[in-house]
Amino acid sequence: MSEAAIIFEKVRAPMGDGDLCLEMDLRITSGEFVACVGPSRAGKSLMVELAAGLVTPQAGRVLVLGQDWSAVPDDDLRSVRLRVGVVLQQPGLLSNMTLFNNVLLPLRYHRGAMSDRHREQAVMGQLERLGLASLRDRFPAELNQGEARRGAIARALMLEPEVLLLDDPVAGLDADMVLGLKAYVEDWRAHHSLTVLAALRASSPFIEAVDRLVVLREGRVEADGTRNSIREIIPSALNRYIE
Amino acid sequence: MITWVGRKAIAGYAYLAALATLIAQAVLDLIIPPRQGRGETFRVLLRQILFTGVDALPVTTVIALLLGIIIVTQAGTQLPRLGAGGLVGSIIVVTVIRELGPLVTACIVVGRSGSAIATELGNMSVTREVVALRLMGIPISRFVIMPRMVGMVLSMLCLTLYFDVVAVFGGYLVADAQLTIPLDAFAESVIRALSTTDVFMTAIKGLGFGSAVAAVCCYHGLAVRSSSTEVPQQTTRAMINSFVLCLLIDVVVTVPLYL
């Protein structure tokens, strides 16, 4: 069996203030691209937040790259964080920095030994691949939702993480942008060993790039498998999320 | 009633403990700097000094000058009636350098920079910039809190000393023009009244006020959770608590001197 990059081990976590709980036992293999789909309040964002170590489960544990977030000592936390790129629903670009400086920030902070020229080349390369080069000097408030989101994805990939967690990466993106982002992620995966877990709110061409789909409803895994294999087994109401 | 008082006392204690923890963490981050992110952190520090210290110079100059003029005008008209016209220099040392200089500077800094820090961090929390930094492996205490705290302490210290000098100069302008006290007599009067303890206490107050204001404003800014309506609420709390804490520190530093 291949090495697991993310493991949800008998995880139970409350969803918001209600009685619903996300309950799952899931294993995502290293290098796999898994998308989690389903209606609103199904627990998709919570799944990403659990994997990112932002939420501690009530029961069970979440292991990312072999590390249990709740047990990682503070001194080692930074090194684990650098191996996991995360883009949440809100892109979180720093509002007092231009897009270029936002994408540059992880390199400036963590790769101090890298020359300025190399850092600039790396950032511009990322921005060009995502069609954001012309926006490099804009501040986050001057970007639309899709541009900000792609900027956040570029920033998350700057340190070449082993795991990428995306919460609704195609929100605010037009059809061309979605295809562009899909091509970008596929190209990145072709050249780097990257495990991707993405929460998707609605069906989009982005779903064609995934290896495996996890269908969630009210905190439960309704189906788990390739797109073709689960098409037959899930209720028709959920079919629209994978088509 | 007793329960209410007890609950408030515990809350107050927990609040002060949280502020002390923030300050202690900032000091640790300052004296044990990590290898990563020194340049970036230094940039944030410089921006804070520029905003809190350098950009505040014009308003500080105007207020200090006016305060010096008012105090010497009042002292110059009242003291001669009591036969104490020679105490003008002493009055400006006692009122401005010992008390009003640090306190008014703290008010300027709270109003300008403290509110700005609380608002900025509050907005950063709402837009999840703070979470994004954590997720990038960038510690909030090192990248966000420490540079703001150090920048504010250094700026407060320098602004307080600058305020004192400008206020004394403002006092001299009145002494010279209205009371016809020559520069050398005024300077001698001020220097005679000024002790090392006064300068030391001013510096201590500058340090104390700076640390307190920075810690309070960072604490309240980061206390914002998810709603933008929390930002003005926390900013107001930060400003009021900063003023109260500054007065508290002032009492703690000043009163023992006269006991």
Side-chain angles (χ1 to χ4, degrees):
Chain A
M1 189 184 264
S2 305
E3 195 187 336
I6 306 171
I7 302 173
F8 293 88
E9 201 176 87
K10 294 182 178 135
V11 166
R12 182 184 161 84
M15 290 164 56
D17 299 328
D19 298 332
L20 278 179
C21 271
L22 174 71
E23 288 181 21
M24 61 165 44
D25 208 16
L26 195 75
R27 190 184 166 89
I28 297 172
T29 311
S30 187
E32 211 175 6
F33 184 172
V34 175
C36 158
V37 296
S40 290
R41 306 280 161 203
K44 304 183 294 294
S45 293
L46 180 58
M47 189 177 167
V48 171
E49 287 180 345
L50 282 163
L54 289 175
V55 177
T56 308
Q58 213 172 49
R61 56 185 193 150
V62 181
L63 297 165
V64 176
L65 299 169
Q67 302 281 344
D68 179 355
W69 282 121
S70 56
V72 179
D74 283 352
D75 293 343
D76 300 338
L77 196 59
R78 185 187 143 270
S79 60
V80 184
R81 285 258 172 252
L82 300 193
R83 297 166 67 197
V84 181
V86 186
V87 180
L88 299 175
Q89 263 187 60
Q90 278 182 289
L93 293 177
L94 299 191
S95 49
N96 61 352
M97 287 186 186
T98 61
L99 176 63
F100 177 83
N101 283 329
N102 260 291
V103 180
L104 182 64
L105 180 63
L107 287 184
R108 259 193 187 153
Y109 197 91
H110 297 294
R111 303 272 192 273
M114 208 171 165
S115 73
D116 285 348
R117 196 168 60 84
H118 282 109
R119 282 195 291 225
E120 186 163 338
Q121 277 174 353
V123 172
M124 284 315 292
Q126 289 278 57
L127 292 180
E128 273 162 20
R129 278 193 287 278
L130 280 162
L132 296 169
S134 61
L135 307 173
R136 57 165 283 171
D137 294 325
R138 293 211 186 163
F139 285 88
E142 300 170 307
L143 301 172
N144 66 33
Q145 202 188 349
E147 290 161 351
R149 194 166 300 279
R150 283 180 293 152
I153 292 172
R155 185 177 67 179
L157 288 171
M158 276 321 292
L159 296 174
E160 301 186 358
E162 292 162 52
V163 170
L164 180 64
L165 305 171
L166 303 169
D167 191 356
D168 209 5
V170 294
L173 269 63
D174 63 32
D176 289 333
M177 285 178 185
V178 173
L179 289 174
L181 183 62
K182 176 178 160 254
Y184 174 76
V185 174
E186 282 174 336
D187 181 56
W188 187 273
R189 289 182 67 219
H191 296 95
H192 302 83
S193 167
L194 181 70
T195 308
V196 185
L197 170 63
L200 297 174
R201 237 142 285 275
S203 180
S204 80
F206 197 70
I207 233 166
E208 291 161 16
V210 308
D211 302 320
R212 192 173 135 206
L213 281 167
V214 174
V215 184
L216 280 180
R217 186 161 64 176
E218 294 181 349
R220 305 282 187 282
V221 177
E222 292 275 336
D224 176 6
T226 61
R227 200 172 168 200
N228 287 332
S229 70
I230 63 170
R231 195 173 274 145
E232 306 302 322
I233 57 169
I234 59 171
S236 56
L238 291 176
N239 244 312
R240 68 179 77 106
Y241 291 99
I242 64 168
E243 293 303 333
Chain B
M1 180 67 183
I2 292 172
T3 315
W4 183 84
V5 171
R7 212 173 277 152
K8 286 286 174 194
I10 291 169
Y13 174 77
Y15 180 68
L16 290 177
L19 296 182
T21 309
L22 270 187
I23 294 172
Q25 185 61 52
V27 171
L28 275 180
D29 288 331
L30 180 68
I31 57 176
I32 315 168
R35 278 174 299 157
Q36 288 79 25
R38 282 181 185 171
E40 272 307 293
T41 309
F42 189 62
R43 249 178 232 128
V44 179
L45 171 63
L46 283 185
R47 270 206 301 269
Q48 191 61 49
I49 291 174
L50 184 71
F51 176 66
T52 306
V54 180
D55 289 354
L57 284 177
V59 68
T60 307
T61 307
V62 172
I63 293 174
L65 210 56
L66 295 177
L67 193 74
I69 289 171
I70 291 165
I71 286 170
V72 174
T73 303
Q74 292 285 2
T77 50
Q78 300 300 320
L79 289 178
R81 289 185 195 171
L82 303 167
L87 292 177
V88 170
S90 181
I91 283 291
I92 204 146
V93 167
V94 169
T95 55
V96 174
I97 297 178
R98 283 190 195 163
E99 279 309 320
L100 290 181
L103 271 179
V104 175
T105 309
C107 290
I108 296 170
V109 171
V110 170
R112 275 189 85 257
S113 310
S115 57
I117 286 178
T119 308
E120 185 193 12
L121 297 191
N123 285 327
M124 281 176 74
S125 299
V126 173
T127 55
R128 305 209 83 183
E129 291 170 40
V130 174
V131 174
L133 284 172
R134 267 177 62 200
L135 291 172
M136 282 189 279
I138 299 177
I140 303 304
S141 63
R142 278 180 199 153
F143 186 68
V144 175
I145 299 173
M146 185 273 279
R148 280 170 178 76
M149 211 171 268
V150 174
M152 189 168 265
V153 168
L154 289 176
S155 301
M156 182 82 88
L157 191 59
C158 296
L159 279 179
T160 304
L161 297 173
Y162 175 78
F163 186 100
D164 291 348
V165 171
V166 175
V168 170
F169 176 71
Y172 160 70
L173 291 181
V174 176
D176 184 44
Q178 200 178 328
L179 310 173
T180 61
I181 301 173
L183 175 62
D184 53 347
F186 182 79
E188 194 197 328
S189 163
V190 170
I191 290 167
R192 201 166 356 103
L194 190 68
S195 66
T196 319
T197 313
D198 292 323
V199 180
F200 184 66
M201 294 318 275
T202 292
I204 291 283
K205 285 178 186 177
L207 282 173
F209 294 172
S211 315
V213 172
V216 168
C217 294
C218 286
Y219 175 86
H220 285 281
L222 294 171
V224 172
R225 287 288 158 250
S226 53
S227 164
S228 54
T229 54
E230 291 174 56
V231 178
Q233 290 170 356
Q234 290 293 349
T235 304
T236 309
R237 263 179 227 158
M239 290 181 70
I240 291 172
N241 290 358
S242 295
F243 287 133
V244 173
L245 210 55
C246 284
L247 285 170
L248 200 66
I249 292 171
D250 198 21
V251 168
V252 169
V253 172
T254 307
V255 171
L257 274 183
Y258 297 96
L259 290 178

